[in-house]
Amino acid sequence: MKALATQKVWTDDQLLDLHRDGRKHEVWHGKVMTMAPAGSEHGDVISRLLAELANFAYQHKHGRVYDGQTGFRLGIDHCFAPDISFVSKERRKLILTSKERLFHGAPDLAVEVLSPTDSITKTEEKFALYLAFGTRLAWMVDLKSKVVRVYLGVNRFETLRSGQYLTGNSVLPGFRFPVSRLFEPPDFD
């Protein structure tokens, strides 16, 4: 992550204009951070999980699933774009003031897939903010260790490995996805 100029308050319009450069940006403690691109495995895991979540959420009419370009304002000092997010239809009405704007609040589910430049500590700090602003479930996918940490509260997580299942808990009731499918290449490779 590379920091851009510090500004007292970044407006939604200013943050949305930053996206025009084709790179991903987040606001940490009032500073805009530019995110480095990630590798192919990172993108593949995100795509597979995003497709499963979106298919399930739309089929059951639970809400909407968003990719890593969607911004969530957590106060004036933080704006994050999780790799995958889910917002229930009820919560969407509360935190989205306009379809062209950023969300003003946290998603119900936030998913971060660690890239080689991400740290668990920094991601946990981000999860603590998500949870403080209303996120009810967060998943940290660690490609290196081939585990998923499931957070239901600050520093309260369960580690899932191959042979176990990610579930939607009360956020996406009935969703179930084998952890092994995140880390195994497709059978056509």
Side-chain angles (χ1 to χ4, degrees):
M1 273 191 273
K2 180 182 173 188
L4 293 178
T6 302
Q7 182 173 316
K8 182 89 172 154
V9 176
W10 287 87
T11 67
D12 283 6
D13 288 334
Q14 290 169 323
L15 291 172
L16 290 167
D17 281 345
L18 287 174
H19 186 65
R20 293 176 200 238
D21 69 5
R23 297 181 294 172
K24 183 175 173 177
H25 305 281
E26 292 186 331
V27 178
W28 280 86
H29 306 291
K31 294 180 184 174
V32 172
M33 307 299 284
T34 302
M35 315 304 281
S40 64
E41 183 181 16
H42 183 266
D44 180 54
V45 167
I46 290 170
S47 295
R48 285 190 272 153
L49 188 53
L50 181 107
E52 291 288 332
L53 281 167
N55 184 45
F56 182 85
Y58 296 144
Q59 180 181 358
H60 296 281
K61 301 179 179 163
H62 287 305
R64 297 191 187 189
V65 175
Y66 299 92
D67 72 2
Q69 301 306 310
T70 306
F72 292 85
R73 298 277 323 231
L74 308 181
I76 61 171
D77 288 334
H78 297 94
C79 183
F80 299 133
D83 290 323
I84 304 170
S85 54
F86 165 75
V87 179
S88 66
K89 57 187 173 190
E90 297 80 18
R91 186 162 176 78
R92 189 171 182 273
K93 293 172 190 171
L94 298 173
I95 66 172
L96 185 62
T97 58
S98 166
K99 290 180 183 178
E100 295 82 32
R101 312 297 332 145
L102 300 168
F103 281 99
H104 284 249
D108 291 281
L109 167 67
V111 181
E112 294 287 353
V113 178
L114 297 179
S115 66
T117 58
D118 290 333
S119 77
I120 289 173
T121 304
K122 191 86 168 168
T123 304
E124 282 184 332
E125 180 185 344
K126 187 186 285 189
F127 280 3
L129 286 163
Y130 284 140
L131 292 160
F133 279 84
T135 292
R136 297 183 291 144
L137 180 63
W139 298 337
M140 182 191 308
V141 180
D142 186 340
L143 299 174
K144 195 166 140 185
S145 300
K146 297 189 180 200
V147 299
V148 179
R149 288 183 176 198
V150 177
Y151 292 79
L152 296 169
V154 178
N155 294 323
R156 281 188 24 233
F157 66 89
E158 173 187 7
T159 302
L160 302 179
R161 293 174 168 71
S162 192
Q164 295 178 297
Y165 289 84
L166 272 172
T167 63
N169 296 338
S170 63
V171 176
L172 282 164
F175 179 79
R176 188 172 154 92
F177 187 79
V179 171
S180 60
R181 282 189 45 206
L182 290 173
F183 306 114
E184 296 170 356
D187 61 4
F188 56 81
D189 270 0

